Amino acid sequence: AQTVTQSQPEMSVQEAETVTLSCTYDTSESNYYLFWYKQPPSRQMILVIRQEAYKQQNATENRFSVNFQKAAKSFSLKISDSQLGDTAMYFCAFMKHVGTAGYALNFGKGTSLLVTP
Amino acid sequence: DTGVSQDPRHKITKRGQNVTFRCDPISEHNRLYWYRQTLGQGPEFLTYFQNEAQLEKSRLLSDRFSAERPKGSFSTLEIQRTEQGDSAMYLCASSLAGGGQGSYEQYFGPGTRLTVT
């Protein structure tokens, strides 16, 4: 079974500071994709960043970057220069195969991030 | 590109009633997914379509649930004889199959929040 574990239910960070959200996963596949999604209080899920497992280089998207450790099956998200608008639930997700040619996302339980002034 | 839309945004129904939700994916996306999210949890995969074909259904999708995508465009999710345990946010997502780095990225709609009383 492929599982995604986010061990931090809640986190808080001050504006302009850096915060790291952790995620571990379990899979027997060698090639896969990992994602971080953000779900603000308005509830629409937004893709933050994506990592292909075959790429050793860590993905970055502006203030968001990941630390991907394939051997350790770890996929943490770093948010630099935190902004009030970063307040949201953050979900780590593993893309799993379903059926013969499909993919679906397997989500962790999420980390609620609060950015304070 | 107007994004993924879902209708209605909120639905309150009495136990035993039938409900139907609609999802309109991003226009060029040929894959469409349904997820269910309960309070405090990450979304859970229910089913997915490639064009009009329903290719995979999760064991979470009991026989009271049915999904269609008649012309490969919009999709409907129907729940018959609703139960209180069906109360959740139902999320729709779409993606573009066919290769390329973007084909694994799923874009989510705002969801339909179902409350069964």
Side-chain angles (χ1 to χ4, degrees), chain A residues 31 33 35 37 39 42-47 49-50 52 54-55 89 91 95-96 98-110, chain B residues 4 9 31 33 35 37-45 48 50 55-56 89 91 100-111 113:
Chain A
N31 193 22
Y33 290 77
F35 302 86
Y37 278 86
Q39 193 174 39
S42 66
R43 304 289 287 184
Q44 182 139 14
M45 197 83 74
I46 302 166
L47 176 64
I49 198 165
R50 177 191 73 192
E52 294 92 336
Y54 64 87
K55 288 187 177 179
M89 184 72 83
F91 291 99
M95 178 151 279
K96 65 179 181 180
V98 291
T100 56
Y103 299 90
L105 293 170
N106 190 19
F107 287 88
K109 290 188 175 183
Chain B
V4 179
R9 295 290 303 276
R31 282 190 176 160
Y33 308 80
Y35 292 83
Q37 185 179 21
T38 54
L39 200 60
Q41 301 293 320
E44 296 173 292
F45 169 74
Y48 97 96
Q50 178 149 333
L55 297 185
E56 186 68 16
M89 177 77 83
L91 297 170
Q101 290 189 348
S103 62
Y104 300 108
E105 296 177 1
Q106 295 184 19
Y107 294 86
F108 283 80
R113 177 169 294 285

Side-chain angles (χ1 to χ4, degrees), chain B residues 49-103:
Chain B
F49 293 82
Q50 178 149 333
N51 300 313
E52 66 276 9
Q54 186 175 20
L55 297 185
E56 186 68 16
K57 292 191 292 186
S58 162
R59 67 182 185 279
L60 295 175
L61 213 65
S62 75
D63 56 6
R64 295 184 298 105
F65 289 70
S66 62
E68 294 182 344
R69 195 182 182 197
K71 296 184 179 180
S73 56
F74 72 92
S75 175
T76 58
L77 178 68
E78 181 183 14
I79 308 174
Q80 295 181 328
R81 305 181 304 281
T82 53
E83 302 173 356
Q84 287 187 322
D86 297 332
S87 294
M89 177 77 83
Y90 290 84
L91 297 170
C92 176
S94 69
S95 69
L96 181 62
Q101 290 189 348
S103 62

